[in-house]
Amino acid sequence: MQTDIGAAQRPGLVMRLKKRARLSSLKYLAILRVSILNNLAYIMEVFFRALLLVILVFVLTQLWKTTFTLRGTRVLSGFSIADMIWYLVAAETIALSLPALTRRIDQEVRSGQLAYLLGRPASYVLYNYAHYLGERLVRLLMNALIGSLLALVMAGVPHFTWQGLLAWPLVAFLALSIDFVMHFSIGLLAFWSEETQSFSLIFSRLTLVLGGVLAPLEIFPQPLRSIAQALPFSAILYGPARTLVHFEAARLGALLVQQCATLLVGIMIMLAIYHAAVRRVNINGG
């Protein structure tokens, strides 16, 4: 009899869990939608921020054109000047779309607002992730639009493969998620440090230099190239940009493994910091 009752209760439990998961998903999708709409309301600000990409890509392009001319070559480490321009646009599109996540988390922690936000009927981490994605997607699309127009003028039509075009959204999404985990963790360090912007600055500079935003990692001399490719920074910028410009199935598989491993380790570190921070709030009475 007890077995029959347990078997009868299982479908009901499964249905309740599915309903709860569906409602939870709809809640965070609503937060994502609101974040997108809020950023679209200030689309001109997003547009003028994106113009920085034009300046950076133009300056870097002139430097690389000079390098190609001085070396007397049309191809450098497998990249033509047109490939290099499209690579720079792809990398800068991701790099310049980062919102001020660390500063916002830092301010919420230091002002004590975090104690009130934890009382919301939503995960503080997932709430910030949905809000971050909405803000970053708007910036990413604006950067991609402006960067593509610039690259078309300077380098002409790109020779992307359909595999690269299909793979890029996936690897770019994983790169944005890794970036969120890293910067969210840095913001939570405000519980133990009076100022976290120095940590954020160090991480962002390491990402720009070792992540391959100034040049593909193939250009780097050994052993710096191997070190940079093994570090998680390359999974944020270099990997997605190279996948779009020079797609290789073997490299895509290695990149996905690197991104998933980096994301998993990053989530574990972030949750450890987060739970330690929440305990600190509870001990201090909010």
Side-chain angles (χ1 to χ4, degrees), residues 105-117:
I105 302 300
D106 189 339
Q107 290 175 350
E108 289 175 354
V109 172
R110 296 175 62 186
S111 66
Q113 187 181 3
L114 175 64
Y116 299 98
L117 295 176

Side-chain angles (χ1 to χ4, degrees), residues 66-89:
T66 302
T67 301
F68 274 78
T69 301
L70 292 176
R71 285 182 171 243
T73 182
R74 302 184 64 175
V75 178
L76 188 61
S77 297
F79 285 81
S80 66
I81 187 62
D83 293 336
M84 190 69 73
I85 292 173
W86 280 104
Y87 172 88
L88 293 173
V89 167

Side-chain angles (χ1 to χ4, degrees), residues 169-179 235-236 255-256 259-260 263:
L170 172 61
V171 295
F173 173 74
L174 290 173
L176 300 187
S177 299
I178 294 171
D179 230 6
I236 300 175
L255 173 62
L256 290 175
Q259 286 185 317
C260 291
L263 186 59

